[in-house]
Amino acid sequence: MRKKLLSVVLLLSGVNTYAQQTDEGTIKSIFDQALSKGKSYEMLHDLCVNIGPRLSGSPGAAAAVEWSRHKMEDLGFDSVWLQPVMVPHWVRGEQEIGRILNSKKIGTKDMAITSLGGSIGTGAEGIAAGIVEVKSFDELKALGTKAIQGKIVFFNRPMDPAKINTFAAYSGAVEQRGNGAIEAAKLGAVAVIVRSMGSGLEEYPHTGGMRYATNIKLIPGVAISTQHAELLSKLLKEEKELQFYLETHCQILEDAPSFNVVGEIRGGEYKDEIIVVGGHLDSWDLAQGAHDDGAGCIQSIEVLRLFKSIGYKPKRTIRAVMFMNEENGLRGGTKYAELAKQNKEKHLAAIESDRGGFAPRGFTMSASDKIKSIIRSWKPLLEPYDLWDFNQEGGGADIGPLTTQGVALIGYLPDSQRYFSVHHTSEDTIDKVDKRELELGSASMAALVYLIDKYGFK
Ligand SMILES: [Zn+2]
C-alpha cells in the first residue's frame, strides 16, 4: 500500500520512477500493461472496422491518415504531424472476370482471379486467348516468341512449402508477380495470370504489386487462387487448346496527394537522437489490412502509449510513424528518409513491424556487427517473452531508405506460418488477428525500444 502511494507521488511529481528500476522490472511493467490494460486490439478493431481498406490515393487512405492523427493527438503525444507525399493512384474497377471458355472436361468455368496492383485493365472488350504455363523466366525464354506470341502466360511456380521461413518461400516466388508481365510482354504475350503468393491451397486470390518497364508493352496482370491454379494446370496437361477470357477494368490515375503520419514523445536527455517505430498505413483494397499492416501501425502507436502509461520518460525521442504507400510505390518511406536528411535529423534506430500481428519470435537486424552484438547482449532480458531469434538479416521496406544515413534497421519478427494465407487477400480482416498475440508484439517492440533508449549503441 505504502509502496503504491509512493509511486503515485513520484509519478505526479514527474520524477522518472524508472531511473532506479531494473531492466527486468521495466520490461515486466511493459508486458503487464500491454497484456492487461493494452489498447492494441481496440485500436486495430477501430481502424479495420471503421476505416477499412486504404489503398494509396483512396478515400480510405485519406480517412486512415486523419484517424491516426487524431488517435495520437488524443493519446497526448508531444507532437503529431503530417508529412505530405504524392502517391500512385490505382483503382481496381468493378468487375473482374477470369473464365475458362471451352474445356472438354468442365466446359465454361469462372475462376477466382483478381487484378495485380498497378496493372492496366483489359477494357470492356476483354482478352480471349490460349494459355501457356511456365514455372520460371528461364522456361519462358526457352519457349521463345513463337510459342508465346498472342498467348496468356500462366506463371505457376508455387511458394516452396518445404521452406520453414515463409518469407523465404515468398521471396522465391514473388518475381513472377512483380516482373512476370514485363518478361511475358517481351515475347509478345497479351496478358499474364500469376499463381497467387499463398502458402496453402486457398479459394481466394492474393493481389500485390506488379511492375512495367519503359519501352516494353503494357499487358494486364492478374493473380489466380492457388486452388484454381492447380485446376488450370491440370486441365492444361490434357487440353492444350484451352481458351481463357479475362476482363478487368482497373486504371492507373494521376498521382494523388497523401501523407505519412508521425507522432512523437520527446526525449529528456538526448532529444535530438530519434528512435522510430513504424508500420505502413496503406493496405490493399480487398480487405481491412488487419495483419498487413494495420497491426504494425497500431503496435507502433501502442509503444508510445505504453511508455506514457507506465510513466517511463525516454532519454531519446521516440517516434511512431505510419508510412504511406508501402504496397505500391514506397513513396512514404522514401519521403521520410528524404526529410530526415534535409532536416539533419539523427536517427539512432528504426524498427518496423510489417510481418503480421502474430506471436513474437525475435527481431531481424540490418546493422553493423557492433550494434548487432549489443542487441544480442540483451537476449537474456527478452527471452522470457519468447523473443529468442536475433539471427536473421533485415529491417523493413519503409525504413529501408534510411539505410544510407547509417541508421540501424530492425524488423519485428513474429511467427510466420499463417501470414501468407491472408496476406493481400479478402481474408486479411480483424477476426484473423489474435488479441493476445497482437499485444505481445506491441510489448516486444516497446521492450526493445526501451533498451535502445536507455543504453544507446555505445
Ligand atoms: Zn505490409
Side-chain angles (χ1 to χ4, degrees):
M1 193 67 184
R2 277 188 65 182
K3 207 174 158 195
K4 198 175 177 187
L5 190 68
L6 177 69
S7 60
V8 169
V9 170
L10 286 172
L11 264 178
L12 291 174
S13 62
V15 174
N16 188 349
T17 52
Y18 285 91
Q20 285 82 36
Q21 257 287 18
T22 62
D23 293 332
E24 285 86 352
T26 305
I27 292 172
K28 184 169 186 325
S29 302
I30 288 171
F31 275 86
D32 284 354
Q33 176 68 219
L35 293 168
S36 48
K37 291 183 201 141
K39 298 273 186 251
S40 306
Y41 192 79
E42 184 185 311
M43 287 195 282
L44 186 58
H45 188 278
D46 190 16
L47 177 67
C48 288
V49 173
N50 295 321
I51 307 292
R54 42 194 186 275
L55 188 60
S56 293
S58 69
V65 165
E66 284 310 306
W67 182 91
S68 21
R69 187 214 324 232
H70 289 305
K71 182 58 68 186
M72 292 194 285
E73 281 171 355
D74 291 349
L75 289 169
F77 297 169
D78 293 333
S79 317
V80 178
W81 70 98
L82 304 181
Q83 294 180 334
V85 58
M86 294 300 288
V87 294
H89 189 191
W90 176 84
V91 289
R92 181 173 302 282
E94 293 280 299
Q95 208 174 13
E96 301 189 297
I97 303 172
R99 185 175 289 152
I100 289 173
L101 291 176
N102 61 340
S103 167
K104 290 187 200 83
K105 265 203 170 128
I106 61 169
T108 301
K109 183 175 170 59
D110 279 345
M111 306 293 269
I113 60 114
T114 193
S115 286
L116 293 175
S119 176
I120 59 163
T122 65
E125 65 277 19
I127 290 173
I131 296 190
V132 180
E133 176 183 343
V134 295
K135 291 258 173 32
S136 68
F137 292 162
D138 285 344
E139 194 184 337
L140 177 75
K141 280 171 201 152
L143 285 171
T145 310
K146 214 173 146 212
I148 301 301
Q149 188 82 47
K151 296 281 178 27
I152 296 171
V153 171
F154 169 35
F155 290 102
N156 192 28
R157 183 169 83 254
M159 282 172 57
D160 182 354
K163 282 199 158 60
I164 300 304
N165 181 341
T166 60
F167 282 83
Y170 179 68
S171 298
V174 76
E175 63 168 10
Q176 300 172 98
R177 187 190 82 203
N179 295 332
I182 298 171
E183 296 305 320
K186 282 180 188 168
L187 303 173
V190 292
V192 296
I193 298 174
V194 181
R195 180 190 181 99
S196 283
M197 299 297 129
S199 41
L201 282 182
E202 297 128 3
E203 59 199 17
Y204 45 86
H206 297 233
T207 190
M210 62 171 274
R211 284 178 281 276
Y212 290 123
T214 36
N215 301 326
I216 293 169
K217 194 170 178 240
L218 276 50
I219 60 171
V222 301
I224 187 167
S225 75
T226 46
Q227 275 186 16
H228 279 167
E230 293 287 300
L231 173 63
L232 185 56
S233 178
K234 212 168 129 195
L235 291 171
L236 282 167
K237 287 197 173 61
E238 292 165 23
E239 305 187 51
K240 300 272 180 247
E241 301 311 309
L242 210 63
Q243 289 281 304
F244 202 95
Y245 176 73
L246 267 182
E247 185 184 325
T248 59
H249 297 267
C250 31
Q251 280 178 286
I252 304 164
L253 306 176
E254 292 277 294
D255 283 2
S258 189
F259 304 91
N260 293 326
V261 190
V262 187
E264 72 176 24
I265 300 179
R266 262 183 299 282
E269 244 171 278
Y270 314 109
K271 68 172 169 39
D272 294 334
E273 288 189 14
I274 299 161
I275 302 170
V276 161
V277 280
H280 63 86
L281 193 54
D282 62 309
S283 80
W284 283 107
D285 55 331
L286 299 176
Q288 301 169 344
H291 279 293
D292 188 14
D293 181 26
C297 291
I298 260 65
Q299 287 172 329
S300 304
I301 297 174
E302 180 74 347
V303 168
L304 274 62
R305 195 199 66 82
L306 286 170
F307 286 165
K308 279 180 75 78
S309 63
I310 65 166
Y312 176 70
K313 299 208 167 14
K315 293 180 178 180
R316 296 171 162 89
T317 291
I318 316 293
R319 240 182 224 178
V321 184
M322 326 285 104
F323 296 95
M324 183 51 71
N325 186 228
E326 187 272 344
E327 296 293 4
N328 58 340
L330 211 65
R331 301 274 185 88
T334 309
K335 175 60 79 177
Y336 184 87
E338 204 178 287
L339 289 172
K341 194 172 178 192
Q342 199 178 302
N343 299 332
K344 298 192 169 57
E345 290 175 343
K346 182 176 166 34
H347 283 73
L348 194 62
I351 304 166
E352 181 156 4
S353 167
D354 187 20
R355 291 167 171 249
F358 298 102
R361 294 291 181 265
F363 292 97
T364 64
M365 292 183 272
S366 173
S368 68
D369 288 345
K370 184 190 157 194
I371 290 177
K372 281 179 180 171
S373 68
I374 291 172
I375 292 175
R376 283 178 189 137
S377 75
W378 297 328
K379 211 172 144 183
L381 291 163
L382 300 170
E383 240 171 352
Y385 301 95
D386 282 351
L387 293 158
W388 47 266
D389 185 348
F390 297 82
N391 297 317
Q392 298 185 39
E393 191 64 34
D398 298 285
I399 56 176
L402 285 168
T403 192
T404 55
Q405 296 170 44
V407 182
L409 306 182
I410 299 165
Y412 170 57
L413 179 63
D415 176 82
S416 76
Q417 301 310 319
R418 283 173 289 151
Y419 189 55
F420 290 99
S421 54
V422 298
H423 184 244
H424 298 180
T425 74
S426 56
E427 301 304 296
D428 188 6
T429 47
I430 185 68
D431 54 306
K432 310 302 186 308
V433 177
D434 181 83
K435 178 172 179 287
R436 185 173 173 81
E437 291 186 10
L438 180 73
E439 289 166 346
L440 285 167
S442 303
S444 299
M445 287 167 64
L448 183 65
V449 172
Y450 158 74
L451 290 166
I452 298 173
D453 177 58
K454 183 162 174 191
Y455 296 108
F457 292 134
K458 293 257 160 46

